[in-house]
């Protein structure tokens, strides 16, 4: 062990000490000669390393795996190139992405961390933190260091070294802070309106698309690119969206934070080394300069935050918010444009599959249970939030999950609990300073604490994340008014009515004095992300459900026994039993009766659920209060639906009429 090939013995520590002295030029170095060798009694029990210096020792620690992996299958033109040429093209592509449009050419880019460069080239050994040199106006003279598709371990080191608020938790997750913004900012989203998008997209009342012009987009793009180029280093992720190989989209994310890079590493589909070699030019690029604000004097800007989408350029710019969910949901908006053009329906839904291949979709607004209920130890997880429904079946858009963590418990959500380990990004949680144990009940930073992890962290994830056509379409509503039944079976018209309505009523958070639930209607259970008129998506859903014989369900994951304040949230265990009965098909065979006002079919019995809670009226002690609340909610539904009454859903006027009649009747 200790002896090298020449029969010499490296004396641990001496080499390094000698080298250090030599460098100082004071004492002559001590050499251990061979003849003393046999006379000196060495302690051979501890093996010694084959290194003469600490540097050498450090270099032993790391090995570089072969830069190019053998390409299997079809050899693309890109793959046929020698490694050096491929690297050059890749850097050119990144430089082109970062090019200022006014100056034309892109920055000089080089791969790797500038801090490491100092270490190897200049032999600087102290534990220094390289002070970032901001030299915005000289950016054409300097190199932009690109940290390209780093691994989670490398990103951890970057985050912990350079980003305040980054810590390793007791289970190995990376705790991070998203800054001033802890949720999305839909009012700061802008979409470029041009001749094409002006006609194709949904604009005006109720639409999430707030217009901006091309020129203003370019102003913000330049602002973001200049900011990114002024930095010592940027992170670049080249990844995929959509597990359907025929409809896969290549995305590039340029960002300034390791947190953002690790988040997208988890959320998008991770390319294999082979796929990365053939990546080429991305289909869509995000410039995340979230640390830098937009300029409020810029036309269309109403705050210092702006999330700008330009479909013609296939680009998105983020300024003034570091909340990582903007990237995830920004790309989801893009998919809501690209996929329907290919006659593929994009869905804000979770999705899982039973052992027999029965697929269920879980629609619902934020916090209604998509992630919680699609993550089911008895079923295969296809995805928790974003899917496509194509002619061939369903596919997940993403490569990871984004779970709410407020009040997370090991008992109620074991799979999510166990997924919070090394590689997982934990946003805005509070942890014990010393043990780094996370207190999931603590809302000090925000109520919207989140965990982002690769989908394979869920033990029964279905990889690749695709499945056959859905059998059940479950619409989740967290009804804090407490008047919607825990479960109802819907006919197709009702499914469409509730899909277009997109109702939920969460409680307005932790603010003092807020006791009233507030109803939210968000078309297609994701109005913030759709790009075209909701009826376009609804028509596609109706057509697909009809064609594949899927059954619609409305599940209330909210209140029972009264509204928020007097009643309580339906036990997750009961909701799970209801979902089980839907999956198994037993609920389809149950006995039903119709409710008044909403005309919902409710079962008289569900295995494992107390029958008296199935009709909410039974759970209210104040019957008058129940009636008033029911009528109030029905009125809110009616009001909301008015915007859709003059829109035809699909080609068939008959269905439109049916849908209009499928709402509350009073
Ligand atoms: N009966 C219930 N059914 C479902 N979820 C419940 C229930 N009771 C409490 N919860 C809690 O509600 C939350 C549901 O959040 P979840 O992460 O599933 O939302 P989501 O629909 O995936 O939202 P988003 O789109 O924002 O990710 C979880 O914290 C879960 O523990
Ligand atoms: O996008 C986010 O920040 C979280 C999420 O899934 C949603 O709001 O639907
Ligand atoms: Ca979710
Ligand atoms: Mn979501």
């Amino acid at each position: 062990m200790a002896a090298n090939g020449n029969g010499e013995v490296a004396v641990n520590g001496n080499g390094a000490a000698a080298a250090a002295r030599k460098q100082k030029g004071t004492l002559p170095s001590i050499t251990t000669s061979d003849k003393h060798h046999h006379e000196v009694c060495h302690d051979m029990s501890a093996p010694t390393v084959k290194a003469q210096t600490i540097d050498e020792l450090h270099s032993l620690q790391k090995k570089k795996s072969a830069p190019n992996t053998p390409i299997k299958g079809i050899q693309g033109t890109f793959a046929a190139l020698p490694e050096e040429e491929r690297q050059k093209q890749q850097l050119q592509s990144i430089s082109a992405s970062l090019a200022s449009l006014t100056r034309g050419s892109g920055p000089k880019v080089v791969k790797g961390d500038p801090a490491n460069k100092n270490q190897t080239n200049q032999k600087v050994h102290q534990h220094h933190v390289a002070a970032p040199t901001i030299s915005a106006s000289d950016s054409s003279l300097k190199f932009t260091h690109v940290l390209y598709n780093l691994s989670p371990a490398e990103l951890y080191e970057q985050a912990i070294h350079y980003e305040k608020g980054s810590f390793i938790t007791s289970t190995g997750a990376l705790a991070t802070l998203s800054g001033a913004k802890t949720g999305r900012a839909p009012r700061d989203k802008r979409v470029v309106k041009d001749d094409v998008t002006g006609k194709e997209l949904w604009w005006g009342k109720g639409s999430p698309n707030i217009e901006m012009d091309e020129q203003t987009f370019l102003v913000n793009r330049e602002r973001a690119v200049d900011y990114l180029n002024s930095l010592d280093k940027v992170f670049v992720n080249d990844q995929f969206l959509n597990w359907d190989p025929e409809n896969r989209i290549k995305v590039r994310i340029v960002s300034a934070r390791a947190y953002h890079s690790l988040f997208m590493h988890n959320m998008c589909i991770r390319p294999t080394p082979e796929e990365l070699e053939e990546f080429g030019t991305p289909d869509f690029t995000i410039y995340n300069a979230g640390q830098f604000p937009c300029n409020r004097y810029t036309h269309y800007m109403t705050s210092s935050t702006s999330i700008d989408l330009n479909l013609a350029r296939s680009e998105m710019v983020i300024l003034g918010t570091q909340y990582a969910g903007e990237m995830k949901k920004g790309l989801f908006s893009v998919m809501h444009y690209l996929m329907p053009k290919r006659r593929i329906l994009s869905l804000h839904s979770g999705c899982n599959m039973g052992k027999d291949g029965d697929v269920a979709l879980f629609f619902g607004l934020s916090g209604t249970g998509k992630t919680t209920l699609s993550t089911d130890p008895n079923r295969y997880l296809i995805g928790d939030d974003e899917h496509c429904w194509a002619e061939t079946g369903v596919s997940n858009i993403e490569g990871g999950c984004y779970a709410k963590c407020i009040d997370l418990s090991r008992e109620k959500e074991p799979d999510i609990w166990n997924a919070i380990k090394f590689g997982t990004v934990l946003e805005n949680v509070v942890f014990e300073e010393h043990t780094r144990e996370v207190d999931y009940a603590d809302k000090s930073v925000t109520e919207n604490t989140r965990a982002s992890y690769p989908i394979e962290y869920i033990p029964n994830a279905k990889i690749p994340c695709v499945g056959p056509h859905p059998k059940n379409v479950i619409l989740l509503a967290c009804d804090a008014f407490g008047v919607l039944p825990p479960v109802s079976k819907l006919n197709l018209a009702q499914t469409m009515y509730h899909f277009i309505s997109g109702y939920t009523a969460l409680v307005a958070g932790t603010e003092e004095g807020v006791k009233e639930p507030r109803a939210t209607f968000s078309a297609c259970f994701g109005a913030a992300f759709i790009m075209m008129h909701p009826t376009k998506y609804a028509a596609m859903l109706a057509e697909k459900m009809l064609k594949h014989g899927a059954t619609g369900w409305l599940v209330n994951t909210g209140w029972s026994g009264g509204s928020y304040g007097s009643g309580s949230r339906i036990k997750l265990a009961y909701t799970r039993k209801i979902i089980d009965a839907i999956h198994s098909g037993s609920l389809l065979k149950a006995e039903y009766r119709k409710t008044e006002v909403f005309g919902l079919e409710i079962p008289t019995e569900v295995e494992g659920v107390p029958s008296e809670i199935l009709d909410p009226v039974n759970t209210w002690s104040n019957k008058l209060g129940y009636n008033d609340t029911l009528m109030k909610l029905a009125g809110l539904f009616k009001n909301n639906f008015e915007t859709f009454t003059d829109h035809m859903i699909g080609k068939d006027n008959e269905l439109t009429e049916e849908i209009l009649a499928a709402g509350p009747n009073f």
Side-chain angles (χ1 to χ4, degrees), residues 41-42 208 268 285 397 447 454 464 478 549 572 650:
C41 178
H42 288 285
C268 296
T285 304
I397 290 175
E447 166 131 16
C478 176
L572 180 54

Side-chain angles (χ1 to χ4, degrees), residues 506-524:
L506 295 172
V507 206
T510 46
E511 291 160 63
E512 257 181 283
V514 181
K515 292 190 186 75
E516 274 278 280
R518 210 182 304 137
T520 309
F521 292 94
S522 177
C524 309

